[in-house]
Amino acid sequence: MNQKSHKRSPLAGRAIAAAAALLLGGGGLIAINVSANAGQDPGGGSSTGQPAANASTIACPEVVDQIPDVPQQSRKEVDRNLALLDTQIGDSYQSLVSNRAKAASDPDWAQKSVLDPLADKRRTVIKNINTALEAEDAQPKGLEELAECQLKENDAAGGDGQTLEGEGQDAGQDGGQDAGQDGGQDAGQDGGQDAGQDGGQDAGQDAGQGEGDQQVGGPSPDDFVDITTVEPNAEGQDQGQNGGSNGTFTSDCGVNENKKFNSDNVIAAPGVSNGAKHMHDYIGNQDNTAFSSNDSLAAGETTCQNQEDQSTYYWPVLRLQNGQDEQDANAPGGGQDDNIGQIQQPASVTNEFQGSASGDVVEMPRFLRIITGDAKAFTNGDANANASWSCSGFEDRQLTDKYPICPEGSQVLRKFEFQSCWDGQNIDSANHRTHVDFANEDGSCDNGFQAIPKLVQTIAYDVPPGPGFAVDSFPEQLHKPITDHGDFINVFSEGLMKEAVDCINGGQQCNN
């Protein structure tokens, strides 16, 4: 069932900027920057009768969000099939992009040649998921209704973040994101670009990327905004008010000096190689693969200064779009999945655990898993989006759906505020969301949840001023800034977690 009881992320309610379109020449695809409100239509547009020239990508319902529980015995098979659904979307997206001339000349081509075959493949996989759940008497109703996908259309009406039909999109996402999720797609496709553009694309060429090219799947120039033109919109923290716990506990785990990258996601796609389909930066625990277990994490080495923090902290890498290849240029999660450019090592990463405005916090359970943000927010809608972009010196101006262009000498900032209410029982949930929640404005937790330390992570980069960077993403997400997300697994020792909680509840500032 759709998990509507959980609150939207604090940043999800911000107004999405006006849709921006970039035509890929010759009547081909239009890469757009739209994000509609969550509603019943997963694609936000029509699946029939609309020329593919008006579509930038494919949007499908999120099957995982309709699965309230996955028994342990079925988990491996369900996770494998959820990841397969993501791969199918990627393959179909590749077909849509590489055949844009056909799509532009025949308004029925995309439906017959892309969407219908995709729906058939999804029905088979969804049947496999149903079979695995049925064996454990956990089969949810209505999964088969989620097979059909739609094209995400250009905002012809303009300006309101809506699609051609004016519908919102809901991939069933209020409760979370796909467990295969970070599970993207192969967009290494026919993705020619126009060298020398600052973020534009040229569909006049069908192959290859040259020096200085921008990737065909985004970002576009309209994904960027000069931070100096943005009005202040962020308020300061006041968790110490009203008897709250106002201490902080900071764990320094470096900036990925070890250059540990992979395209796995042990939370969202355990047991699936390249389950994320984009590269992650890792700090903290060094035993991070799709096949990591609680036992292997407990035995893993850590980059944290305090060796009792073996937690794993990870997020999509940020790349310069400068035409320079990385070692992953022809690898899964890299160039094969339309993630190209130079990976940027952060200038700094701050992991700060904060208190609650409503009172004391309790200890996090060991191996608690938390995902914040939605890697598929461009097609899912913004209900779980929690991206926050800014520049140093302009922290009172936070962006969700735009990358900031920072002045000379100012750093690009990414900020992740993780959920800080826990159900008191589970370290994970079927959709990786419903066991944790965001606090209310007064710091209180709903539904009997307990306040735990809130991880606030700030990542700073020294990048050249201008629209020349982007985060890795699923190809069909077009590298939109709203898809930014962070992942965390708590592997504090019991003693260190007690120390952190005592520090926070005691109003101290502790640095490790």
Side-chain angles (χ1 to χ4, degrees):
M1 61 183 174
N2 209 4
Q3 305 291 341
K4 295 291 186 181
S5 61
H6 274 231
K7 294 183 286 297
R8 293 161 65 94
S9 66
L11 300 175
R14 291 184 182 170
I16 302 300
L22 178 65
L23 180 63
L24 299 185
L29 289 174
I30 292 178
I32 56 175
N33 180 23
V34 299
S35 183
N37 294 328
Q40 73 275 10
D41 184 350
S46 173
S47 62
T48 60
Q50 296 290 354
N54 285 336
S56 66
T57 193
I58 297 171
C60 301
E62 289 278 36
V63 173
V64 69
D65 294 339
Q66 309 304 317
I67 304 175
D69 184 43
V70 179
Q72 188 60 39
Q73 298 89 330
S74 303
R75 170 56 69 184
K76 184 176 181 179
E77 181 66 10
V78 170
D79 285 339
R80 185 183 69 82
N81 279 282
L82 288 170
L84 182 55
L85 289 174
D86 288 329
T87 299
Q88 291 171 347
I89 297 172
D91 291 343
S92 299
Y93 171 81
Q94 177 183 8
S95 178
L96 183 65
V97 173
S98 59
N99 290 282
R100 54 188 175 270
K102 294 179 182 178
S105 62
D106 181 358
D108 296 323
W109 181 89
Q111 182 65 43
K112 294 177 180 179
S113 300
V114 177
L115 296 180
D116 288 346
L118 174 59
D120 290 341
K121 294 175 183 177
R122 284 171 61 85
R123 288 188 185 97
T124 299
V125 175
I126 290 171
K127 183 178 180 180
N128 292 340
I129 293 173
N130 267 328
T131 299
L133 294 173
E134 186 177 17
E136 302 296 333
D137 294 324
Q139 183 180 7
K141 296 181 179 179
L143 289 188
E144 62 279 358
E145 299 174 3
L146 306 178
E148 293 190 5
C149 303
Q150 299 179 351
L151 300 179
K152 187 169 172 61
E153 308 273 351
N154 178 35
D155 178 16
D160 60 358
Q162 301 298 310
T163 51
L164 283 181
E165 288 191 340
E167 301 274 353
Q169 62 246 17
D170 177 13
Q173 92 258 350
D174 270 45
Q177 64 202 45
D178 193 327
Q181 159 178 142
D182 276 346
Q185 297 79 10
D186 177 15
Q189 73 265 20
D190 273 307
Q193 285 86 17
D194 180 14
Q197 290 191 40
D198 264 342
Q201 293 96 352
D202 178 13
Q205 54 187 17
D206 271 340
Q209 287 151 340
E211 188 75 16
D213 290 347
Q214 299 296 319
Q215 45 205 91
V216 72
S220 75
D222 295 289
D223 290 326
F224 294 82
V225 65
D226 183 343
I227 195 69
T228 64
T229 68
V230 177
E231 292 294 325
N233 58 11
E235 298 179 359
Q237 304 275 340
D238 62 350
Q239 70 263 24
Q241 299 294 324
N242 301 320
S245 45
N246 61 357
T248 59
F249 184 91
T250 301
S251 184
D252 184 353
C253 300
V255 294
N256 195 16
E257 294 93 337
N258 292 347
K259 298 187 182 301
K260 183 171 182 60
F261 310 109
N262 66 43
S263 56
D264 295 345
N265 192 323
V266 68
I267 298 179
V272 180
S273 295
N274 193 35
K277 301 295 172 73
H278 55 259
M279 288 293 169
H280 287 126
D281 262 317
Y282 289 92
I283 61 172
N285 204 299
Q286 296 297 282
D287 183 66
N288 287 295
T289 73
F291 305 97
S292 297
S293 65
N294 290 348
D295 288 343
S296 67
L297 289 171
E301 296 182 356
T302 181
T303 66
C304 299
Q305 286 189 6
N306 190 319
Q307 292 290 292
E308 292 188 54
D309 182 5
Q310 297 168 281
S311 301
T312 175
Y313 308 81
Y314 62 105
W315 57 86
V317 300
L318 184 142
R319 301 182 193 245
L320 289 184
Q321 305 300 307
N322 58 4
Q324 300 296 313
D325 286 341
E326 281 283 0
Q327 293 182 352
D328 66 351
N330 297 309
Q336 285 188 20
D337 291 302
D338 201 24
N339 292 300
I340 60 174
Q342 284 185 303
I343 295 175
Q344 297 300 288
Q345 181 174 293
S348 65
V349 179
T350 302
N351 306 309
E352 182 177 88
F353 295 86
Q354 300 178 353
S356 166
S358 65
D360 286 351
V361 297
V362 302
E363 296 174 17
M364 286 183 182
R366 205 164 194 226
F367 307 117
L368 177 69
R369 288 149 166 80
I370 309 179
I371 296 173
T372 193
D374 184 358
K376 296 181 179 179
F378 181 58
T379 56
N380 279 352
D382 65 357
N384 287 311
N386 202 21
S388 188
W389 295 88
S390 189
C391 302
S392 58
F394 299 86
E395 288 87 348
D396 60 346
R397 309 170 196 197
Q398 297 292 321
L399 305 168
T400 61
D401 68 331
K402 299 285 185 182
Y403 292 116
I405 297 176
C406 302
E408 189 76 37
S410 176
Q411 295 176 317
V412 170
L413 302 180
R414 299 163 76 179
K415 185 176 181 181
F416 300 124
E417 295 195 19
F418 286 75
Q419 295 89 317
S420 59
C421 295
W422 169 54
D423 70 4
Q425 297 180 341
N426 301 294
I427 61 171
D428 200 0
S429 50
N431 60 14
H432 313 295
R433 290 191 185 275
T434 53
H435 64 296
V436 290
D437 201 359
F438 293 97
N440 297 309
E441 289 188 8
D442 63 0
S444 63
C445 297
D446 292 334
N447 302 319
F449 281 37
Q450 302 171 333
I452 56 174
K454 179 173 74 171
L455 171 59
V456 178
Q457 189 173 57
T458 303
I459 309 170
Y461 297 87
D462 295 318
V463 299
F469 61 89
V471 292
D472 271 20
S473 77
F474 304 146
E476 87 282 1
Q477 299 301 316
L478 308 184
H479 301 274
K480 297 298 183 182
I482 198 171
T483 66
D484 204 12
H485 57 283
D487 304 76
F488 170 69
I489 303 176
N490 169 46
V491 198
F492 274 44
S493 69
E494 291 183 3
L496 185 62
M497 179 54 66
K498 183 180 187 304
E499 179 183 333
V501 166
D502 288 345
C503 174
I504 292 168
N505 291 339
Q508 303 174 60
Q509 280 70 49
C510 305
N511 298 310
N512 283 258

